[in-house]
Amino acid sequence: MTQRKGEKTTISIQEHMAIDVCPGPIQPIKQISDYFPRYPRGLPPTAPPALSRTGSLQSTSTSQKSEGPAADPSRDEDDLDQAFGATALVASKKDEEPDVEGYDSDDSTTLGTLDFSLLYDQENNALHCTINKAKGLKPMDHNGLSDPYVKLHLLPGASKANKLRTKTLRNTLNPVWSETLTYYGITDEDMVRKTLRISVCDEDKFRHNEFIGETRIPLKKLKPNQTKNFSNCLEKQLPIDKTDDKSLEERGRIMISLKYSSQKSGLVVGIIRCAHLAAMDANGFSDPYVKTYLKPDENKKSKHKTAVKKKTLNPEFNEEFFYEIKYADLSKKTLEVTVWDYDIGKSNDFIGGVSLGINANGERLKHWFDCLKNKDKKIERWHTLTNELPGSGYND
């Protein structure tokens, strides 16, 4: 706009107000977040930023640096941006880490605690697990509650055969079970190498049950015939070593007695009972029976078979079989014991087996040697059934 000579300069009311209200250059309006900066976790907090007379935001460190000859205010902003950027990068990497069941980072304190006690009855080869109560469980249902139950596994070799579980309690985060679950056939060898896995889960009727948390107890921490109490915080689901040989999958336990009779000049084999057998039928049970062989068996006459026990995973047989054999030849023999599920109209299913003899190891070898050393004495032992028995034919 050109101004004619001699005319007075006129100023609009808008310009007049702008001059009165905002003398000097107009400053950009800062965001409210600039006055409340967030500092990265792990970094020591600095002094709060001070507001200068001109309205600009300056930190204490900036004001100190400005006294020097080469102060660069943009450097502080770059440093702060780098600090925030590093924090964001760390946070994004943490979010990208695989997390079992999608739990938050603070689940170690929110999954809850479990109170229980363990007792190893050495004389009866039994492990008694008393599940008392849980407190502060993580809610898993839409109503803010859960339907919790507890299940037990023995590791390594976890399978349905050695799984035990409590009853389910509805709509609670502080369940009280006061329930005792017992593993039978637990040997001293098991107490050295086994770990008890205790998991708390939420039962759902219309979808898969949800995992809440778990704790693991190495059985070697227990002293025989002494009850030990625990109150453990539940943890996220820990990975199970998948490198275990599948041939060592446990299929249950069997109690066998051995006695060499000097009077009859033969070996007396007793099939007493089985515990925690694998379920082979659709109803969740099996119809088990036991076969025994004394090998090498040139004449194929060493086969003995027990009666079939219907619809059970913990059968009691209490049957004895006699093998006529010289004592000196016993060290060259191997006793093979197999457990089968009887089926009508189709082939019987192999459940598990165990072999005792000079070529065995661990409790199986010890049992055989104890029989050889103690004539006319019945010696009973629990043994673990596995899904493979080398040298044994599975065709019934």
Side-chain angles (χ1 to χ4, degrees):
M1 178 178 178
T2 59
Q3 182 179 349
R4 295 181 182 180
K5 189 176 181 181
E7 290 185 357
K8 292 184 179 180
T9 304
T10 59
I11 301 175
S12 65
I13 188 63
Q14 290 86 355
E15 292 176 332
H16 178 75
M17 293 300 295
I19 294 172
D20 290 343
V21 175
C22 303
I26 298 176
Q27 300 291 333
I29 299 175
K30 289 185 174 290
Q31 297 182 1
I32 189 65
S33 60
D34 292 338
Y35 296 91
F36 301 95
R38 297 178 62 186
Y39 298 98
R41 290 184 181 179
L43 296 180
T46 58
L51 188 64
S52 66
R53 291 182 181 179
T54 60
S56 60
L57 193 63
Q58 296 178 346
S59 65
T60 305
S61 60
T62 306
S63 63
Q64 291 175 354
K65 288 184 179 180
S66 64
E67 297 176 0
D72 188 359
S74 63
R75 180 179 300 176
D76 295 320
E77 295 180 1
D78 294 340
D79 293 342
L80 191 60
D81 290 340
Q82 290 177 1
F84 284 121
T87 305
L89 182 60
V90 172
S92 63
K93 287 185 177 179
K94 181 180 292 186
D95 293 339
E96 291 174 359
E97 291 177 355
D99 202 1
V100 178
E101 304 295 338
Y103 289 135
D104 298 328
S105 60
D106 60 348
D107 276 342
S108 59
T109 59
T110 60
L111 295 180
T113 60
L114 182 66
D115 294 348
F116 59 97
S117 64
L118 302 177
L119 170 63
Y120 173 47
D121 184 352
Q122 190 176 34
E123 182 179 357
N124 296 311
N125 297 104
L127 176 65
H128 302 288
C129 313
T130 301
I131 308 300
N132 296 318
K133 61 182 179 179
K135 294 181 291 186
L137 293 181
K138 181 178 180 178
M140 305 299 290
D141 298 336
H142 296 298
N143 60 2
L145 301 173
S146 295
D147 301 322
Y149 66 93
V150 177
K151 63 178 180 179
L152 310 180
H153 282 102
L154 285 175
L155 304 176
S159 66
K160 292 183 179 180
N162 62 34
K163 182 184 77 172
L164 301 177
R165 63 162 287 175
T166 67
K167 59 187 177 183
T168 300
L169 300 181
R170 302 291 177 184
N171 297 324
T172 178
L173 300 180
N174 301 283
V176 178
W177 289 282
S178 299
E179 191 172 342
T180 298
L181 307 175
T182 301
Y183 280 106
Y184 295 99
I186 301 297
T187 64
D188 292 341
E189 183 181 1
D190 292 325
M191 297 300 295
V192 172
R193 67 184 186 91
K194 291 283 187 180
T195 296
L196 180 65
R197 177 190 183 194
I198 306 177
S199 306
V200 181
C201 301
D202 170 60
E203 183 177 293
D204 284 322
K205 290 183 178 180
F206 304 107
R207 54 180 180 171
H208 293 296
N209 296 341
E210 295 180 289
F211 174 86
I212 297 178
E214 71 169 42
T215 183
R216 299 186 184 185
I217 305 296
L219 296 185
K220 60 185 178 183
K221 289 186 176 182
L222 304 180
K223 295 181 179 180
N225 306 315
Q226 293 185 18
T227 300
K228 188 169 184 178
N229 297 312
F230 297 87
S231 182
N232 290 8
C233 291
L234 297 176
E235 303 177 74
K236 296 180 185 180
Q237 190 169 16
L238 302 174
I240 297 178
D241 188 5
K242 297 182 179 179
T243 60
D244 291 343
D245 188 356
K246 292 184 178 180
S247 65
L248 298 180
E249 178 187 343
E250 293 186 7
R251 296 295 188 90
R253 307 291 174 108
I254 185 170
M255 177 180 276
I256 302 172
S257 67
L258 298 177
K259 183 182 76 170
Y260 184 81
S261 174
S262 300
Q263 183 178 2
K264 297 181 179 180
S265 297
L267 177 67
V268 180
V269 177
I271 304 299
I272 301 173
R273 59 179 297 194
C274 294
H276 315 300
L277 292 180
M280 308 302 290
D281 296 336
N283 59 7
F285 293 96
S286 293
D287 300 321
Y289 66 95
V290 180
K291 295 191 300 180
T292 64
Y293 296 87
L294 192 62
K295 296 186 175 182
D297 182 19
E298 293 83 3
N299 299 324
K300 296 185 179 181
K301 294 182 179 180
S302 69
K303 175 182 173 181
H304 290 284
K305 184 189 299 186
T306 68
V308 176
K309 301 296 180 179
K310 293 289 186 178
K311 200 177 179 181
T312 178
L313 301 179
N314 300 280
E316 293 192 15
F317 298 99
N318 294 315
E319 296 187 36
E320 289 186 344
F321 307 120
F322 179 76
Y323 292 99
E324 185 176 352
I325 185 175
K326 296 180 180 179
Y327 177 79
D329 295 336
L330 201 57
S331 60
K332 304 175 185 177
K333 296 288 186 178
T334 297
L335 178 67
E336 294 186 355
V337 181
T338 56
V339 183
W340 298 78
D341 169 54
Y342 177 76
D343 287 321
I344 300 176
K346 59 179 181 178
S347 299
N348 298 330
D349 298 319
F350 173 73
I351 296 178
V354 64
S355 60
L356 310 177
I358 196 67
N359 295 320
N361 51 40
E363 289 288 333
R364 296 167 294 170
L365 178 61
K366 187 175 183 297
H367 193 184
W368 192 255
F369 270 133
D370 288 344
C371 174
L372 297 179
K373 292 179 182 178
N374 301 277
K375 293 182 180 180
D376 301 313
K377 182 180 179 181
K378 180 186 292 187
I379 300 174
E380 298 178 352
R381 293 281 192 279
W382 280 98
H383 297 284
T384 301
L385 298 169
T386 61
N387 65 336
E388 274 192 18
L389 184 57
S392 176
Y394 291 161
N395 295 327
D396 189 20

